[in-house]
Amino acid sequence: MIKILSLVFITSLAINVQAMEKVDAKYFELTKVKMTDVTEQYVGLIKADNSSQIQDNMVSLDNKIVPNLSLDPLDQVNISLDKIINIGQKIWAVIEMGRPVVNVQTNTANALPQGLRSWSDITGWQIPQSRVYRVQYENAYGMNVVDFAYRVVFTAGGSVNGQGKYITNATIMPANMNVSWGFTFNAHAEVPSVFNTGTKEQPIAGMQLLMKWSVDTVMSHIERAETFYVGGDNTMKHLE
């Protein structure tokens, strides 16, 4: 009788282990990903962030609001309005091992004229612009296992003696994060290039921003990237 009970127990345990393996396989199987523009849901928070985090990185000069550059000025004597360079970061972490990374004072990029010696040379900045995007991953059970929202922020319109339209404080930062057990999420932002979309006499700065992320489980590794364009004329496009 004891042998029979033991056999039944072992058989039942084996069946349960197989069932658990099947459950785990479906749980970790990512079957659907969706990205949506959810800016309207964050309107109030965006205004608060723009007035606090972005404003913390700016000073007032001659009654104009201009960025506060902590980097050393370049050595060039003359400003080349049409030669646009990135005085700032080219790559930074947004999410590391499932934890948001926020540092607005250093994790920003700029598209500015080469030879710029002082921020007081640039005036006329527009109000910071921001949009929020949400990324959601579903598993085979229809569960929302990764839910991540991020902001694309930039300030545009600054000019030198009325010439040019430049970009400052461009960044991508986390807005919301929710990752289920067993999933690891990492993300970083990149600025591959800055360029002139205008003319030599009236340059308009352009910047390409990449948002890259990965989802890892015991079964798979998935990577994805989204591309954005921001312009010195205060434009922004999600390049699909």
Side-chain angles (χ1 to χ4, degrees):
M1 184 67 178
I2 294 176
K3 290 183 178 180
I4 295 175
L5 289 176
S6 298
L7 181 60
V8 171
F9 174 77
I10 293 172
T11 304
S12 176
L13 180 62
I15 292 173
N16 287 335
V17 170
Q18 290 178 356
M20 286 296 293
E21 288 177 350
K22 290 182 180 179
V23 169
D24 287 344
K26 291 189 67 176
Y27 175 79
F28 289 114
E29 182 184 354
L30 296 175
T31 59
K32 187 177 181 181
V33 60
K34 179 173 64 174
M35 178 172 163
T36 52
D37 187 331
V38 293
T39 304
E40 294 302 319
Q41 299 177 26
Y42 286 80
V43 170
L45 294 176
I46 289 172
K47 290 180 179 179
D49 285 344
N50 284 345
S51 62
S52 59
Q53 293 175 323
I54 301 299
Q55 192 70 21
D56 286 344
N57 199 33
M58 307 181 87
V59 295
S60 179
L61 293 174
D62 299 325
N63 297 321
K64 300 285 186 179
I65 298 298
V66 297
N68 180 18
L69 182 63
S70 60
L71 302 174
D72 292 332
L74 302 179
D75 293 330
Q76 288 87 344
V77 176
N78 299 315
I79 296 177
S80 301
L81 297 178
D82 61 320
K83 294 180 180 178
I84 297 173
I85 61 174
N86 177 11
I87 305 176
Q89 296 288 79
K90 291 186 177 181
I91 182 170
W92 62 91
V94 178
I95 301 290
E96 285 186 332
M97 300 302 291
R99 295 184 177 184
V101 178
V102 181
N103 193 337
V104 177
Q105 290 189 346
T106 59
N107 292 342
T108 59
N110 306 275
L112 301 169
Q114 181 174 295
L116 178 68
R117 301 185 65 85
S118 172
W119 278 112
S120 60
D121 292 331
I122 303 183
T123 59
W125 294 106
Q126 301 297 305
I127 297 172
Q129 299 296 313
S130 180
R131 299 205 69 81
V132 183
Y133 296 88
R134 184 182 184 185
V135 180
Q136 297 169 284
Y137 280 89
E138 286 187 8
N139 65 8
Y141 286 114
M143 299 170 57
N144 197 10
V145 293
V146 175
D147 194 339
F148 169 57
Y150 61 91
R151 293 184 179 91
V152 181
V153 186
F154 71 102
T155 302
S159 62
V160 179
N161 296 324
Q163 286 185 276
K165 293 181 183 294
Y166 302 100
I167 302 167
T168 189
N169 286 338
T171 189
I172 297 178
M173 65 181 74
N176 189 42
M177 186 76 206
N178 187 10
V179 179
S180 298
W181 175 87
F183 294 85
T184 300
F185 187 85
N186 291 285
H188 69 270
E190 293 183 15
V191 181
S193 61
V194 295
F195 38 84
N196 180 11
T197 64
T199 64
K200 186 177 181 66
E201 294 74 22
Q202 288 293 341
I204 300 175
M207 178 184 293
Q208 183 183 11
L209 283 163
L210 295 182
M211 179 62 185
K212 294 184 175 182
W213 66 84
S214 64
V215 182
D216 290 278
T217 71
V218 294
M219 298 177 60
S220 64
H221 171 81
I222 297 174
E223 294 184 357
R224 180 162 172 169
E226 296 290 338
T227 305
F228 300 89
Y229 165 82
V230 296
D233 54 355
N234 224 22
T235 59
M236 174 181 169
K237 294 181 181 179
H238 174 210
L239 306 177
E240 300 181 0

